[in-house]
Amino acid sequence: AEYMGETTLLNINGSCMAASPVALSPLGPDDDWGSYLLGTWKRSLVWREFGGAFECVGTSNTVVEISEVNARPLSADGGPSDRMLRWVFSKTRGDAATSHSYLMQVARIGTTRDSSMDYEVSGTRCSGRFVAKSMTAIINCILPSSTLTTTYRVQDANSIAVCVVEVEEKAEPRIQYGLMVRQT
């Protein structure tokens, strides 16, 4: 039997004993972050402002469509294993009128199972890293008047916990948190 990555064996007397844990990766055997992201996701976030009563200032429900595209890598040293992913954000699936998008370059780091990520927002270069051991991606984007730090934590094969901390020059810092759930 298998439960939470631990294999349970029955010994000769019929009682249970735990075997060594089995690593079960929702990303597949290669921990391929780029492949895992492909598809359509629904992202639901709660927004709160730091300071005062930590008030809820809103919620958002966004469709995120992530597809692989044939595009020139963002960095000059882009290698053959680099992948370009287009992230399209909209209110409903396939809604071009309310969408915005960006390209993200995902590349395996050496012989590790980790990946680097690079993309641009409003002409500003942003970067991050996926760490396979913790199933976590952290992306930093330092814009002219604000800073965004986004954390994605893989929960299972079809869901990702999301936390975005945004600090603006002339506004209260905000946190957005919630889930991205794969749509079929």
Side-chain angles (χ1 to χ4, degrees):
E2 190 167 86
Y3 176 73
M4 298 293 288
E6 183 175 281
T7 302
T8 303
L9 303 173
L10 295 178
N11 68 15
I12 194 130
N13 299 325
S15 59
C16 294
M17 58 184 232
S20 60
V22 176
L24 298 177
S25 173
L27 276 64
D30 294 330
D31 288 329
D32 187 348
W33 175 239
S35 292
Y36 174 80
L37 289 171
L38 295 174
T40 301
W41 300 80
K42 180 179 181 189
R43 185 183 72 180
S44 299
L45 300 175
V46 174
W47 299 39
R48 292 189 178 270
E49 275 188 353
F50 288 107
F54 195 60
E55 292 183 37
C56 180
V57 293
T59 59
S60 64
N61 288 299
T62 306
V63 174
V64 182
E65 296 179 80
I66 304 172
S67 59
E68 190 161 12
V69 296
N70 226 351
R72 195 177 109 255
L74 296 173
S75 64
D77 59 345
S81 66
D82 292 8
R83 302 171 79 176
M84 295 300 290
L85 305 181
R86 179 178 307 282
W87 292 56
V88 178
F89 300 84
S90 59
K91 290 185 180 190
T92 59
R93 197 177 213 171
D95 180 9
T98 65
S99 71
H100 68 279
S101 67
Y102 61 81
L103 288 177
M104 176 184 282
Q105 179 178 328
V106 178
R108 191 57 70 100
I109 299 172
T111 59
T112 71
R113 296 161 89 91
D114 297 353
S115 297
S116 65
M117 297 168 287
D118 290 294
Y119 67 101
E120 287 186 11
V121 173
S122 303
T124 300
R125 184 80 172 263
C126 306
S127 63
R129 182 174 182 146
F130 171 75
V131 179
K133 188 172 187 174
S134 63
M135 292 290 153
T136 304
I138 298 173
I139 301 171
N140 292 303
C141 194
I142 301 171
L143 299 166
S145 62
S146 67
T147 301
L148 292 168
T149 299
T150 306
T151 304
Y152 295 98
R153 170 60 163 90
V154 174
Q155 299 297 102
D156 57 40
N158 296 306
S159 62
I160 304 171
V162 180
C163 179
V164 181
V165 176
E166 180 178 11
V167 180
E168 291 186 36
E169 187 175 29
K170 297 179 181 177
E172 285 288 330
R174 277 178 257 146
I175 185 170
Q176 303 167 39
Y177 59 91
L179 283 175
M180 281 177 47
V181 179
R182 189 182 304 277
Q183 304 295 289
T184 54

